[in-house]
Amino acid sequence: MKTLTEQAQTVEDVRRLVDEHDIEFIFASFSEVRGKSNAKLVPADHLEELFANGAGFAGFAAGDIGQGPHSPDVEAVPDPRSFRIVPWQPGLAHVIGDVRVEGQEWPYCPRTILRRQIAKAAEKGYVFKIGFEAEFMLVGFDEDGQLVVSDRQDNWDRPCYDVKGLTRQYEFVTTMSKYVSELGWDNYAVDHEDGNGQFECNVTFADALETADRAVFFRYMTETVAQQFGSMATFMPKPFTDNTGNGLHYTMSLWDAGTDTNLFDDPSDPRGFGLSELGYQFAAGILEHARGYAAMVAPTVNSYKRLKPGTETIRTWVPVCMAYGGNNRTQMLRIARAGAFEDRTPDFSGSPYLGMASALAAGLDGIERGLDPGEPNTVNLHNLSPSEIAERGIGMLPASLLESVHYLTKDDVLREALGQVPVDGPDGEPSSKTEDFVDYYARLKRDEYHEVADIVTAHEIKRYLTFP
Ligand code: GLU
Ligand code: MG
């Protein structure tokens, strides 16, 4: 197995790795605001030119990145640190870039937004480290065009950790594990998750930019490898009404930039979780901004079909309450081990760059204001009625994309953190005007809400056609 343990830092490093590993082609990619990855295939001969000038794309065709059909090209300028050898395709490498337009940083670019937020943390001496758990399902369509899990034997009520379900996908899961290890991300476990057809492949944490790049590549790799095994991988938050959803949990900590020590680690924590005061303040910041932050980490209509309390028959393992505590999966923030906490809200229906930038902004605000998350939750929150939740002083996460977007537009901290973007004049002509990125994002997401949620469904017809 050829493990790429070295992370390139410069174009010269990339050139050396390209020559050493006989790389012939490079996918030069960037992702837009909704999380779609775009790429151009560039022959390795043109590497130096690619890193100097970027790969050009018609931004309006690529997705949502603040452009119209009249706009100049976006240039995706690769970051040498994102260089990866594609494990399943000899001779191919992959790089991820930040978007520039006419040589300038483009503030609509999600990776740029995360980078800028990381720089703000660095000014205070912090490095934001984060791990992700990307859940996905292997699915397909049956003879009637119905979405089904690919493995038709995977139909138990509680398939979680089922050794036979894992064995039936042995070739797929071991291929994934080997590829993840070749990428140098140290895969430490793969399991059959709680949903039918659902898997998770765990990798170690890293600094936020590296982790967001890894998440994007991991998703691309999973979807590609699943296809090679005749299946389809979906990261959709809730593809089946009666099956557990797919999360993208973030496990977060802040580290000292000078000493590389974990600032969330405190063995003398009086609450007994091994979390420092700084860690509690960061967590309190996430809880404080949770409703607007949800629009970034649970960014589609479908996301809110996942964020529902579990029942005896449909288990969900997701938060509906803005609460924190120990190793309890019914709350938003779970402290499962000392020195870090997990946010269970995120899913993979949007951009991890925007999600992680928002998490960092919310957490830093908690530190700046010295917020305290209060006493930890110890109960099964899925069993409490809305009035019992309110009596405990616990707030609820938004129940729809429309609601979370509303809160996002009211959140001045996230508004400031996500920055300002240039806007054209009324006829598309250049102008010196700007608007907050949050307002641009809110327009996209409100339109998406109406596009998806306004459709009259078969269930609605059944429910209301002749009723009452
Ligand atoms: N599948 C659950 C979710 O949608 C999480 C299960 C777990 O704890 O890993 O977040
Ligand atoms: Mg999981």
Side-chain angles (χ1 to χ4, degrees):
M1 196 194 300
K2 47 170 190 354
T3 304
L4 184 66
T5 45
E6 178 185 345
Q7 185 177 37
Q9 300 295 329
T10 61
V11 189
E12 292 71 34
D13 292 342
V14 173
R15 164 55 69 199
R16 184 171 39 78
L17 290 167
V18 159
D19 292 344
E20 270 170 31
H21 293 268
D22 299 323
I23 299 299
E24 288 179 292
F25 293 101
I26 301 174
F27 272 158
S29 80
F30 79 95
S31 38
E32 50 80 89
V33 170
R34 292 183 206 265
K36 176 187 169 229
S37 282
N38 299 286
K40 274 195 175 174
L41 182 74
V42 178
D45 298 350
H46 292 264
L47 185 159
E48 283 75 15
E49 205 177 310
L50 168 67
F51 277 76
N53 305 326
F57 297 81
F60 185 61
D64 292 291
I65 191 96
Q67 289 215 318
H70 59 292
S71 308
D73 276 8
V74 300
E75 304 130 18
V77 183
D79 182 340
R81 289 169 299 175
S82 70
F83 177 83
R84 319 209 186 273
I85 295 168
V86 174
W88 64 90
Q89 187 64 58
L92 179 65
H94 184 276
V95 286
I96 303 180
D98 283 78
V99 170
R100 286 195 205 153
V101 174
E102 295 180 326
Q104 302 297 314
E105 275 197 354
W106 188 239
Y108 285 94
C109 168
R111 196 173 187 275
T112 301
I113 291 175
L114 175 59
R115 228 172 12 80
R116 289 178 171 182
Q117 197 54 43
I118 287 171
K120 285 187 202 162
E123 280 168 22
K124 299 180 202 301
Y126 300 138
V127 176
F128 184 37
K129 297 202 185 186
I130 187 160
F132 70 87
E133 286 169 37
E135 296 174 332
F136 59 92
M137 287 167 183
L138 295 179
V139 297
F141 291 97
D142 71 8
E143 315 71 48
D144 305 323
Q146 287 287 331
L147 183 69
V148 288
V149 299
S150 301
D151 176 2
R152 304 306 293 272
Q153 287 183 60
D154 193 343
N155 58 8
W156 287 1
D157 283 348
R158 283 193 194 201
C160 201
Y161 311 125
D162 170 31
V163 66
K164 290 183 281 186
L166 197 56
T167 308
R168 288 194 298 272
Q169 303 302 330
Y170 188 79
E171 287 300 322
F172 169 76
V173 294
T174 51
T175 300
M176 284 293 294
S177 171
K178 284 180 206 165
Y179 288 171
V180 167
S181 298
E182 279 180 38
L183 288 159
W185 305 348
D186 190 20
N187 168 234
Y188 60 89
V190 184
D191 72 340
H192 190 302
E193 283 284 297
D194 187 69
N196 298 114
Q198 189 181 40
F199 297 88
E200 182 177 304
C201 175
N202 299 120
V203 306
T204 44
F205 67 96
D207 71 80
L209 197 62
E210 167 67 12
T211 294
D213 285 347
R214 282 185 188 181
V216 165
F217 189 84
F218 176 82
R219 177 176 177 151
Y220 160 55
M221 180 165 83
T222 309
E223 290 173 348
T224 306
V225 175
Q227 272 171 26
Q228 292 175 348
F229 281 83
S231 187
M232 178 166 60
T234 178
F235 292 79
M236 185 177 171
K238 191 79 172 172
F240 301 97
T241 309
D242 53 359
N243 194 356
T244 311
N246 295 306
L248 178 69
H249 301 166
Y250 296 170
T251 296
M252 309 185 238
S253 52
L254 281 187
W255 291 56
D256 185 299
T259 59
D260 199 30
T261 47
N262 183 356
L263 298 170
F264 283 8
D265 208 3
D266 181 3
S268 63
D269 172 12
R271 287 170 175 138
F273 296 126
L275 198 67
S276 66
E277 198 185 340
L278 200 79
Y280 284 111
Q281 290 172 351
F282 195 96
I286 303 258
L287 294 172
E288 173 88 0
H289 296 282
R291 289 189 170 116
Y293 159 75
M296 288 292 173
V297 294
T300 57
V301 172
N302 186 252
S303 297
Y304 297 84
K305 299 190 175 172
R306 166 178 168 260
L307 295 175
K308 300 283 175 228
T311 63
E312 268 303 299
T313 45
I314 304 180
R315 297 165 311 285
T316 61
W317 311 107
V318 294
V320 283
C321 293
M322 301 184 299
Y324 88 100
N327 199 346
N328 170 340
R329 289 183 167 82
T330 65
Q331 63 208 353
M332 183 176 167
L333 306 183
R334 177 173 77 117
I335 312 170
R337 61 175 171 83
F341 64 84
E342 169 189 73
D343 178 12
R344 306 178 60 74
T345 321
D347 65 48
F348 213 155
S349 60
S351 163
Y353 300 105
L354 293 179
M356 291 179 196
S358 305
L360 180 54
L364 288 179
D365 184 55
I367 292 175
E368 200 154 299
R369 290 161 57 197
L371 297 180
D372 176 5
E375 283 315 300
N377 164 63
T378 53
V379 303
N380 175 357
L381 289 166
H382 289 181
N383 273 353
L384 300 188
S385 66
S387 56
E388 286 167 325
I389 291 168
E391 272 163 32
R392 284 167 193 260
I394 297 174
M396 308 281 285
L397 281 165
S400 73
L401 179 61
L402 201 58
E403 200 185 328
S404 63
V405 168
H406 167 79
Y407 283 108
L408 176 66
T409 61
K410 304 282 172 223
D411 191 312
D412 289 338
V413 168
L414 293 178
R415 181 175 282 282
E416 209 273 318
L418 293 156
Q420 295 201 311
V421 290
V423 283
D424 286 341
D427 297 318
E429 72 276 18
S431 93
S432 54
K433 279 199 318 201
T434 59
E435 70 170 334
D436 290 337
F437 176 81
V438 155
D439 291 321
Y440 169 75
Y441 184 84
R443 275 200 307 281
L444 291 185
K445 289 294 164 178
R446 283 187 173 127
D447 287 353
E448 182 176 331
Y449 175 84
H450 289 297
E451 176 220 316
V452 180
D454 290 1
I455 290 174
V456 177
T457 62
H459 182 67
E460 260 171 294
I461 301 284
K462 187 168 153 242
R463 183 82 174 73
Y464 300 123
L465 192 62
T466 58
F467 180 86

